[in-house]
Amino acid sequence: MKTIKLLSILAISASLMVGCSDDDPVTPPSEGFDLEINGQDDFDPKDLKGNVNADITLKAGVEYLLTSYLRVKDGKTLTIEPGTTIKCKAGGTDVFLAVERGAKINAAGTQANPIIFTSDASNPRPGDWGGIVIAGKAKTNKGAEAETEVGGLNYGGTQDDDNSGTLTYVKTEYTGAKINGDQEFNGVSLYTVGSQTTINNLFISNGADDGIEFFGGTVDVQNVICINIKDDMFDFTEGYSGTMDNMFGVRENGFNDATEDPRGIEGDSNGSNPAAAPVSTPTIKNVTVLNLSEITPLKAGAEIRRGTVATIDNALFAAYGGASFGNLIDTQDSSGDGTLTITNSYKMGTVGENKEGGTITGTVTEDVEAITADGDNLTVKAGLGADFTAFSWTGYTLKK
């Protein structure tokens, strides 16, 4: 909603009282914007923030600076054109994009023109801003009504085929602002997002918490690459039952920013009641968890716990050079063990043993040539884990 600043009105009134000639410059009233966006022209691209109360579009070629929260309200759609870059003001925990339950995002980038969310800092760092938070109407085992860890959105319901829109060919960088010890943003947080939502081709890098996390819901995702994530690359909880396909996670050589227990995959259902319905029953296929950092070992390639019943097919857990994993797979937890069926999967390098408190069905085969070097470039053997060629649109290359 546009408002006229009082000082500008007073200044114009004063000039009229003393009189003016045709030669006297008259300064027009300046315009400002509040936190209610009620139309396409009702926001400042260089001070982007507020509640989106109308269908609006962020256009390619326009310089955007996200300075606080941008919250798409129930029933409204935020469209972001291919090739749009949104810089996010560094240093605040209130800088994030949120899509309410019942709202939609239409962020359909392309291979040639991806959509980019990044920090505005001259020296960007993980945690400079929050991230992307989407809430839907699918089920969670936290009850019919829950509130997101960050952003204050309600989520949950019974519509497993809910549609929150499209997120494709999108880059998110330097996310993970920390509010306190229990509240941190991820690169992309999906709260009970339904199966009709389209999410694929995501590049998530330099995150101070998790790369992508699912809180209940049924949405399937495909082609997600996470680079230098401080905590878990791929995380799910609260009854998530979708499919994750072609997921590639890597901690680069020299990366030294980590939590106490970073993992490739962390899978929970419900830590208070592991039998709470719906139980997390995800399918994870074509996944690579690669550690190149000697400084920060991964605690586990995959931790499946707290009632989770998961299936993993065609995984590669690899530690290259002097890097390592503490455990390969861990299904033991004091708040409830997990159950995992794993097939067609491989390991390479200094990778620990399985830690079985729950049940692991299947074996992981050693392949000492899963990762090979050609000079400084690394190549993953075709057919093992994720298909890295799916991420050519990002311009990212694997280095020793």
Side-chain angles (χ1 to χ4, degrees):
M1 181 182 297
K2 295 182 179 179
T3 58
I4 305 298
K5 293 186 177 179
L6 180 58
L7 289 177
S8 297
I9 296 173
L10 291 176
I12 293 171
S13 299
S15 67
L16 292 174
M17 288 177 65
V18 299
C20 62
S21 70
D22 291 342
D23 296 327
D24 292 331
V26 176
T27 303
S30 62
E31 294 179 327
F33 299 90
D34 60 19
L35 290 175
E36 303 302 323
I37 301 174
N38 295 318
Q40 182 62 41
D41 298 321
D42 196 19
F43 61 91
D44 181 355
K46 295 184 179 180
D47 187 18
L48 182 59
K49 61 187 177 184
N51 296 310
V52 179
N53 302 314
D55 296 345
I56 66 168
T57 298
L58 303 184
K59 300 180 179 181
V62 176
E63 293 184 7
Y64 293 99
L65 179 63
L66 185 66
T67 58
S68 186
Y69 68 86
L70 187 67
R71 180 166 174 154
V72 189
K73 302 297 287 184
D74 182 6
K76 306 306 176 185
T77 299
L78 171 67
T79 298
I80 307 176
E81 291 184 347
T84 301
T85 294
I86 301 168
K87 292 187 177 181
C88 304
K89 189 170 181 61
T93 60
D94 62 340
V95 180
F96 59 91
L97 170 61
V99 180
E100 284 190 353
R101 185 172 55 179
K104 288 186 178 180
I105 183 169
N106 179 24
T110 66
Q111 292 190 46
N113 294 292
I115 294 164
I116 300 173
F117 291 83
T118 191
S119 168
D120 77 328
S122 57
N123 182 27
R125 298 177 59 84
D128 271 354
W129 66 288
I132 299 173
V133 183
I134 303 176
K137 299 180 181 180
K139 297 186 185 74
T140 172
N141 59 34
K142 287 293 186 179
E145 188 82 5
E147 183 174 312
T148 59
E149 177 183 317
V150 291
L153 280 69
N154 293 326
Y155 69 98
T158 59
Q159 298 181 31
D160 283 344
D161 62 349
D162 187 34
N163 185 351
S164 294
T166 298
L167 197 70
T168 184
Y169 290 107
V170 173
K171 292 185 175 184
T172 59
E173 303 171 331
Y174 307 106
T175 58
K178 181 176 181 178
I179 298 172
N180 56 47
D182 298 317
Q183 294 177 293
E184 295 173 309
F185 286 90
N186 305 303
V188 177
S189 299
L190 304 172
Y191 286 87
T192 58
V193 174
S195 61
Q196 292 302 304
T197 308
T198 299
I199 299 180
N200 54 51
N201 297 296
L202 304 183
F203 174 95
I204 303 168
S205 68
N206 296 291
D209 196 46
D210 298 330
I212 184 169
E213 184 166 6
F214 305 80
F215 298 82
T218 54
V219 66
D220 298 333
V221 301
Q222 186 178 27
N223 298 340
V224 179
I225 183 168
C226 291
I227 301 163
N228 290 348
I229 303 301
K230 184 175 179 179
D231 198 30
D232 308 312
M233 298 169 179
F234 314 113
D235 198 344
F236 61 85
T237 186
E238 297 187 13
Y240 173 63
S241 61
T243 296
M244 290 182 262
D245 184 9
N246 211 57
M247 316 289 281
F248 196 104
V250 57
R251 301 170 74 85
E252 294 178 322
N253 187 11
F255 179 64
N256 62 357
D257 196 5
T259 61
E260 294 180 357
D261 50 5
R263 306 173 181 91
I265 302 167
E266 181 181 273
D268 297 342
S269 189
N270 188 309
S272 300
N273 177 10
V279 169
S280 291
T281 55
T283 297
I284 306 168
K285 59 183 183 179
N286 308 314
V287 57
T288 295
V289 175
L290 173 59
N291 190 19
L292 304 176
S293 174
E294 300 179 27
I295 304 170
T296 55
L298 283 169
K299 183 177 181 182
E303 184 154 318
I304 305 299
R305 60 185 186 178
R306 298 176 182 175
T308 297
V309 180
T311 299
I312 295 178
D313 180 60
N314 187 24
L316 171 62
F317 301 100
Y320 186 86
S324 64
F325 290 38
N327 297 308
L328 174 57
I329 298 167
D330 185 352
T331 57
Q332 185 178 80
D333 191 84
S334 60
S335 296
D337 296 333
T339 300
L340 174 65
T341 299
I342 187 165
T343 55
N344 305 313
S345 294
Y346 302 86
K347 64 180 179 178
M348 173 186 171
T350 307
V351 176
E353 299 298 322
N354 291 340
K355 186 177 181 181
E356 295 188 50
T359 302
I360 301 175
T361 302
T363 59
V364 178
T365 303
E366 181 81 23
D367 189 323
V368 297
E369 296 183 346
I371 308 288
T372 55
D374 181 7
D376 288 335
N377 295 324
L378 296 177
T379 300
V380 182
K381 183 186 291 187
L384 301 191
D387 177 7
F388 187 74
T389 64
F391 307 108
S392 60
W393 64 275
T394 68
Y396 182 76
T397 57
L398 283 175
K399 301 287 186 181
K400 287 197 297 186

